Amino acid sequence: MTKELQKTLKSYGQDRDSLIPILQSVQEKFGYVSEQAVTGIASYLNISESTIYGVATFYTQFRFTRPGDHIIRVCQGTACHVRGAQRIMNEVVKHLGIKPGETTPDYKFSLERVACFGSCALSPVVVADNRVYGRMTAQKTKQVLKEME
Amino acid sequence: MKFEAIQQKATDLWEAFNRLDKARVLIGGATCGRAAGAMQVWHRIAEELEKRRVEADIVEVGCLGMCYSEPNVEIGLPDGRRILYQNVTEETVPELVDRFILKGDPCLEYALCSFGDVPVEGLIRFNDLQMIKPQVRVVLRNAGIIDPTNVYHYIARGGYAGLYKALRMKRLEVCETIKSSGLRGRGGAGFPTGLKWGFALASKSDLKYMICNADEGDPGAFMDRDVLESDPHAVLEGLTIGAYAIGARQAIVYVRAEYPLAIDRIRNAIDQMKGLGFSGPHVMGSDFDLEIKIKMGAGAFVCGEETALMASIEGKRGMPRPRPPFPAQAGLHGKPTNINNVETLANVSEIMNRGPEWFAAYGTEKSKGTKTFALAGKINRTGLIEVPMGITIDDIIFNIGGGIPDNKKFKAIQTGGPSGGCIPAEMSDLKVDYEELAKVGSIMGSGGMIVMDEDSCMVDVAKYFVGFTHSESCGKCVPCRMGSQHLLKMLTEITEGKGDMSYVRRLEKLSRTVQSGSLCGLGQTLPNPVMSALRYFSDEFEAHLRQKRCDALVCKGLVSSPCQYTCPINQDVPCYMGYIAQGRFDDAIRVIRIENPFPGICGRVCPHPCESKCEAGKYGDPIAIRALKRFAADYEMKQGIKPHRAEVRYDAKVAVIGSGPAGLSAAYYLTLEGYPCTVFEALPLPGGMLAVGIPEYRLPRDVLDYEIDYIRKTGVEIKTNHALGRDFTIEDLFRQGYKAVFLATGSHKALELGIEGADHPAVLPGVRFLFDVNLHKEINLGERVAVIGGGNVAIDSARSAVRLGAKDVFILYRRSREEMPALSEELEQLEEEGIKIRFLTAPKRVVSSGDGITGLECIAMELGEPDASGRRRPVPIQGSEFMIECDNVIAAIGQTSDLNFAQDEALNVTRRGTIAVDEETDLCEKEGVFAGGDAVTGPLNVVTAIFHGKLSAKGIHQYLSGHEVSRHYRPVRPAEVVAPVELTDEEIERLARPSLPRKPGQQRIRSFVEVEECLSEEQAVLEAKRCLRCDLETQFEMQ
């Protein structure tokens, strides 16, 4: 177990309630939940690795592979859908050459779809690196991606 | 510090904040404001102020709920004026700083409204805005007004006074107070809050939990986010009051991970509470202790369900469990727990402050108080509103929301998110509350309200919601896990053109099963969108299943490209676009001719409905489809491509009556199929309206001759000077051995003007006038010619009159420009030729003297109520008569069919004076007879006539083969896959719709020479490359 991971774990109580907050912290610090992290958490909380995977894989927030430097999320919520979100997703898929849930081979971009960002009044919404872009079009989205390359 | 002292400090700070000793800038910095660019605007403002060395306060506030106009910036000056500017960008910032902050010029062109007590001339007050006036802001009382990170702002406006009062009451009293207010859970279920608290209070335990459900997972709902970001204390105070009321020492705010700003605000607010003694040990000096923690969701919609939420807090998979036991008895860690929604708690704090009677004064009998609604979708003023329960949908959509953008037709709303149902526009007078919504098959839910217009497909919406809930299903119980999967599968198939009408019953049955068998609210409500769509929009399901149609143009499986779908004859537009782009013009015209026997004609005169739905036209100019078709047709004509004679395969002869586009199309396709075909034409020349109704400057004679000749060469026989009724009857035809007849006699009998003096011989019917023009008969026109009407015949009459030498030609149309059916390109050409149009003018009386006409007495019109066609009826303005001098009057107000033969032929005639046929097959009641074209539809256009010709040809083939005559529907798909042409970036820069070349106006009116010219090859290829090739997005099976 790395020193970083140990430090992260120590700030939480050794009870089951801490599992999800720990996973969230690990994801924030390291970008994803690695096998080593799961092993470390299992020993810290004294629960089995399979239980941890059982919980972690239930929630869409957690990634188990290294994400891209830039994380692109295209909202597929109702209001966005009604205003053409699918077109934007198609354009991003075409431009990056990956499907939602995947990462480009050079680890530059990861693509995710989210059900709703809660900015429905500004649909269609795209979130790139946690920056929320409202009133997007397929063209504008491609522009944003190009600037990040 | 004692609470009174804190309140005093707060009041002082709030007053100082609003005193405006110097300029003050408030920026809406909630997530929606940021998405619109508020932070960039903030930085620009700070920069500009520093540049000019102006001292001003810049404060970030929350969201006013007017998301459609974000970024919203309020600027207040020491003179007391406070102006809210809308859609502020980095570019407009310097101007606002220079003109308003430095010079006091209010910049009204950027302003939305004024705030505060000091009025600003020419500007409406915030509270008087159409969007704001009907609202009653309780939950949103501070949103957009206070600094959400400053607890004293909250306190100054009544914050924590509720908690102060509550702590002086018995716990049971607090529960009773909330109960008497009538507050119902705002998360969606609407359970009486006070009652629920009472259950938790009654449970005996050493440890109890109070939880705030801030998981807001409904797509389309963002009110909880808004409140947490704009006024977190309103929620936390409510949470604290609730914890006290039920006897809990532990409170948790469970907020979804996708709301990082909200999490930040809550964290900050909890720290402030601790600092002031509003949480922690001895809250406000009482013996009530409370610890408030934050727990973050991890991206699971189902965790908004209370038992799943608690499982998630316990570090488990978020899977619901059966109830009982209810959380009030055994919840988190088995202890009594009470869970409330964000909005519920934001109400609690104010109810305790102002009293339950104040709250209960709003709303309806069973739904007290107010409700927030997240207005999104096809609505002009998207945003967050709060209104008293009982307001109508109409009020919300049209008053507050400002109606549907682009004047589109309002179709339905969806309330309650994926657990809710759709409510059609016809029921928009519904008063919104829990009971009323449930009655019509929807639910209140969290308050998401998605507005849909004519471009929304209700089948697609149902599929979308089921897709969502299916992916969020925890998987524990079969009805939800498997049921949603199969509902989704069926709905997907429907949108792909698969399935049949049995799907409707299967969807209904499965929906009921999922509803009654699922373990938790997610499963129990997931069929709601399907059931309500089936209930109110069953016609859309039928159109998708039986006719393979999606008229909203949404389902890609049915509408692979909107142009091909919209074309009445389903021309393979993307196919021939692709060929032209590749320079393969032979293939292009080959593809066009599969569905269209008149490419050169349509390429010149078609009103191109395809272009009106072109996808490229959504964000720029539509592709010049008609011009490209003409290009391909002209290419063919130049090459002199000739068809082969078709092989005769059958003995059965078919007779076609009428050689217009409908008749000739039918004959052409029947001949290709192998039937010997003869066309009987009453006039001395073939073509119908093509020959005698469309002047040569629009359709040159050589083009018409070429296309009719092309049809003749396949084997079609045309006999001119043979009129039905005068020369033969249908019985004669059958006796001569014809086995089937297609009637396509058109609609060319002019409607009478019906005004005084209209029977004067110098009043020419437009159709008759054009007939004479096309047959080069001698026509004498005076200097001034008045043409009455607004359709093609009127316009063509006017343009022909000018070419015959009339100096002053004008059109009188009784409606306005918007109602006129003419295309703007036609009106442009009219103007270039010096022809004027007087709108809203109708003739009252023809004034004549002897043989000639001297003038028209006219009357001005205004638009009244809509008539049956939906267009507003023109109504004469009394006393507005005036005279117009003219020498000729051409009456072109419409045509009807000359059906003199109908009675003798025992043919049924509709009320509109057209031949009655089966709508789907064009089959008449009379044995062996079909009819189509203008004779059936009334005067329309060439392409629709072609459609009827083809439809009847198919029907006649079925009939003659001994099969039942029926329509077989198939999804519209391109026949061939044509590879797209990759564009270089440089080409992309240059891409623009070419302006269609035409000869100069004054020059061209000296003769009937063709006005429009063909695109050059270079232009055509580039324009074809501009096509977005929508057909390639669909996966289709090759035919």
Side-chain angles (χ1 to χ4, degrees), chain B residues 541-567:
Chain B
F541 281 86
E542 179 169 343
H544 280 64
L545 285 166
R546 221 171 54 81
Q547 295 168 319
K548 308 302 177 195
R549 291 190 70 83
C550 175
D551 286 340
L553 303 182
V554 169
C555 297
K556 288 294 287 181
L558 295 177
V559 182
S560 81
S561 31
C563 49
Q564 183 176 10
Y565 180 89
T566 307
C567 174

Side-chain angles (χ1 to χ4, degrees), chain B residues 190 343 481:
Chain B
E343 191 177 338
R481 185 180 79 244

Side-chain angles (χ1 to χ4, degrees), chain B residues 729-928:
Chain B
T729 66
I730 295 182
E731 265 318 299
D732 290 337
L733 293 173
F734 283 124
R735 246 179 276 127
Q736 286 169 34
Y738 291 97
K739 298 293 182 212
V741 175
F742 177 56
L743 263 176
T745 48
S747 187
H748 34 75
K749 184 165 144 189
L751 287 176
E752 312 263 324
L753 257 186
I755 58 175
E756 191 189 323
D759 48 3
H760 194 285
V763 175
L764 303 165
V767 223
R768 179 79 224 179
F769 175 67
L770 290 178
F771 180 96
D772 291 344
V773 166
N774 271 27
L775 291 184
H776 305 145
K777 299 233 169 94
E778 201 181 303
I779 304 167
N780 288 317
L781 288 178
E783 295 244 320
R784 309 190 60 168
V785 179
V787 178
I788 303 165
N792 279 122
V793 176
I795 295 182
D796 277 332
S797 297
R799 295 178 72 182
S800 298
V802 133
R803 284 162 172 77
L804 290 175
K807 293 281 172 289
D808 182 9
V809 180
F810 48 92
I811 295 176
L812 304 178
Y813 182 53
R814 65 195 191 121
R815 287 183 151 106
S816 74
R817 167 71 189 95
E818 287 73 42
E819 282 86 24
M820 199 176 194
L823 300 166
S824 47
E825 57 205 52
E826 291 178 281
L827 295 184
E828 273 170 34
Q829 294 184 23
L830 260 186
E831 217 180 320
E832 285 165 12
E833 293 173 5
I835 300 163
K836 302 190 189 28
I837 309 179
R838 296 185 74 126
F839 293 104
L840 292 166
T841 308
K844 202 169 167 199
R845 182 170 63 95
V846 178
V847 182
S848 56
S849 129
D851 279 344
I853 292 176
T854 54
L856 268 177
E857 187 187 347
C858 301
I859 186 163
M861 309 292 273
E862 61 185 352
L863 293 176
E865 289 306 305
D867 65 15
S869 74
R871 294 191 300 170
R872 293 179 67 186
R873 193 196 306 270
V875 167
I877 302 175
Q878 295 303 329
S880 67
E881 287 85 347
F882 61 99
M883 278 295 294
I884 297 186
E885 283 177 19
C886 59
D887 307 302
N888 297 91
V889 174
I890 300 177
I893 59 168
Q895 297 102 253
T896 183
S897 304
D898 186 344
L899 298 179
N900 281 332
F901 51 80
Q903 217 181 19
D904 298 330
E905 299 288 1
L907 284 166
N908 293 329
V909 173
T910 69
R911 229 195 321 243
R912 287 185 309 129
T914 56
I915 302 178
V917 296
D918 174 294
E919 239 177 43
E920 294 203 323
T921 59
D922 276 353
L923 180 61
C924 295
E925 272 220 41
K926 187 169 169 129
E927 180 72 31

Side-chain angles (χ1 to χ4, degrees), chain B residues 430-448:
Chain B
L430 182 141
K431 295 191 165 70
V432 178
D433 76 6
Y434 288 101
E435 271 66 39
E436 289 300 307
L437 288 174
K439 254 191 245 165
V440 299
S442 185
I443 63 168
M444 180 77 75
S446 53

Side-chain angles (χ1 to χ4, degrees), chain B residues 609-794:
Chain B
C610 50
E611 290 187 28
S612 70
K613 297 293 183 190
C614 175
E615 192 68 30
K618 278 201 184 142
Y619 308 109
D621 288 321
I623 306 298
I625 301 173
R626 174 176 70 81
L628 285 171
K629 182 194 250 91
R630 183 233 168 109
F631 171 81
D634 280 7
Y635 169 83
E636 179 195 58
M637 211 166 105
K638 258 188 281 207
Q639 305 292 99
I641 298 173
K642 299 213 189 316
H644 298 298
R645 202 169 173 83
E647 188 197 329
V648 177
R649 280 184 233 129
Y650 305 98
D651 287 331
K653 293 194 301 185
V654 180
V656 173
I657 307 177
S659 68
L664 286 180
S665 296
Y668 174 68
Y669 285 103
L670 283 165
T671 301
L672 291 182
E673 190 63 45
Y675 292 96
C677 219
T678 307
V679 181
F680 296 91
E681 167 57 50
L683 292 179
L685 74 166
M689 285 303 256
L690 299 174
V692 301
I694 304 180
E696 290 177 72
Y697 59 80
R698 272 213 295 148
L699 178 55
R701 186 46 45 86
D702 60 347
V703 174
L704 177 64
D705 288 343
Y706 172 81
E707 303 219 312
I708 294 182
D709 205 47
Y710 191 105
I711 291 177
R712 270 207 181 94
K713 287 207 158 49
T714 59
V716 172
E717 191 191 356
I718 304 178
K719 289 191 166 145
T720 53
N721 289 311
H722 278 68
L724 176 66
R726 183 189 74 196
D727 303 318
F728 65 92
T729 66
I730 295 182
E731 265 318 299
D732 290 337
L733 293 173
F734 283 124
R735 246 179 276 127
Q736 286 169 34
Y738 291 97
K739 298 293 182 212
V741 175
F742 177 56
L743 263 176
T745 48
S747 187
H748 34 75
K749 184 165 144 189
L751 287 176
E752 312 263 324
L753 257 186
I755 58 175
E756 191 189 323
D759 48 3
H760 194 285
V763 175
L764 303 165
V767 223
R768 179 79 224 179
F769 175 67
L770 290 178
F771 180 96
D772 291 344
V773 166
N774 271 27
L775 291 184
H776 305 145
K777 299 233 169 94
E778 201 181 303
I779 304 167
N780 288 317
L781 288 178
E783 295 244 320
R784 309 190 60 168
V785 179
V787 178
I788 303 165
N792 279 122
V793 176

